[in-house]
Amino acid sequence: MCAPPLVQGRALTKRFGTYIAVDQIDFKVERGEAFGFLGPNGAGKTSTMRMIGCVSPVSGGELSVLGMDPALQGPAIRSRLGVVPQEDNLDTELTVWDNMAIYGRYFGLPRSVIRERAQELLDFVQLGDRRQDRVDPLSGGMKRRLTIARALVNQPELLLLDEPTTGLDPQARHLVWERLYQLKLQGVTLVLTTHYMDEAEQLCDRLVIMDRARIVAEGSPRELIQLHSTREVVELRFATAEERRDALPLLNGSGERVEMLPDRILVYTGDGDGTAELVARDGLRPASVLVRRSTLEDVFLILTGRTLED
Amino acid sequence: MTESLADLASAVPRGRILPVGPSRRRSVHVIERNALAYRRMWYVFLTGFFEPLLYLLSIGVGVGALVGRLPGPGGRLVTYEAFVAPGLLAAAAMNGSVFDTTFNFFVKYKYAGTYDAMLATPLGVGDVAHGEVGWALLRGTVYAAAFLLTMAALGLVASPWGVLAVPAAVLIGYGFAGLGLAATTWMRSFVDFDFVNLALVPLFLFSATFFPLSRYPNGVAWGVRLTPLYQGVNLERSLVLGDIRWTLLVPAVYLGALGWGGVRVASSRLARLLQP
């Protein structure tokens, strides 16, 4: 006997006119897990998130969120969700504190409850001393943290994060990741979209890889890498495009699979150092050789023939 | 589980997000948000009071001294100030509510993402539309009451029925708020706001605000009668000058219907635009 999934999509589809943004995807999010939609821009991640957030009607298939139907019980579902959108939509006419306060009011919370929670949440995202500040002068990382705090004011069972660290500098990203990890430890279910494979690897227990409106793979980051990629990758960079082109036929057979990218060649292999030595013996002179472990980026490349950043 | 979901899904038509109607309790939070924002911009609030007052002093009292008496509603002769003041009250109700529901609404809807943030909560598009109109009316009520008190102090309220000039101003505000909100959902950029001015200025000048309808040739007068501001001016003037007839229900119903229809159109347009 297992608990019903928190979110479940079956053949879920989103159309805008004749354009199909989400094409019959199936997925399940269990309570307490961090679930990711990984894919490049335009893969249909945001459209899926908006359907789960009950702000975009389903065009086909089925969707249940917290056991309810978004078409019928939108307000009831939304009252138990926290949403961190891709673009910050903090209220710039209000202070940090008033942003928290009015958001709590949108959920119909009493003012006394909001006062208590708002202070706690601002401390949690390390903005406790900025409560009287206007929103505009805050840095990108602070705004994102405030948006996260705001999304938690109704103590949601499910937190939806659309590209939570896009546009942030590395330091700000790590701080956001650390806070999200804390939330996960507290038992909040996270659903996030991202086109950063490191974000997916850091945060997600389980994820689906989306490409061109469809799900192309599903599993934990480790499973996906084991199933679809080799253990290691040798990255070869060459001084010129000609050298890179000439090297390609010589590399055939040096690993299990060879991929040519605009700026480098990737050789997928079980033994990176061995392959690197082999390359040197063949007389190739790459400008740099890097041996690394496989990542979700490699899984995406192998499955779709393209990189996530495209 | 599967069956019940499928049953639910077949019971509702696809393509709309909100079969749930707006709730008064929820739309109040939209008004609260605006009150919070204006707490820091209270001086902006004052402009809505001074503008009609300046017109009253300049045109009503200043120009009025040169004009003499003219026929008011029911044909009774009244001073020019007494004729113009209710017209200005109606025009102020229009201007205030149009500004809130066009320009301010557009900024929040198109650029600030204010409504996207609201719609991620239990609030729906109907709550947003009702809340914004409610805010515009609340503001309008304060202005109308203050202006009516000023008129009374200047001896320009001839009848006790004049008390109803405030609810009448709210009704005018409602009509134009609905119209403004609906029209704004079709606007693409700030350039389109020139059309708002293009509509407001002639309405302000020619809706029998400054001179009686009898100055127009017959055909034109009928055209003027159809405009919402003329209906509002007619209602205010009759109430303030004490010319009470059953036919005053016509402008009241006209303005009420305009507001109700506008809010409905705006809600369904917002659902399509903000929840595609």
Side-chain angles (χ1 to χ4, degrees), chain B residues 204-231:
Chain B
F204 177 57
L205 293 175
F206 299 108
S207 296
T209 333
F210 297 104
F211 53 86
L213 204 61
S214 54
R215 294 287 302 145
Y216 289 106
N218 218 358
V220 180
W222 272 103
V224 172
R225 274 197 185 92
L226 294 177
T227 66
L229 185 58
Y230 171 77
Q231 294 294 329

Side-chain angles (χ1 to χ4, degrees), chain A residues 248-269:
Chain A
L248 193 62
L250 297 173
L251 287 167
N252 275 333
S254 61
E256 290 174 32
R257 186 189 178 98
V258 179
E259 291 277 352
M260 171 120 134
L261 296 184
D263 60 338
R264 67 212 134 114
I265 294 177
L266 304 181
V267 182
Y268 290 96
T269 170

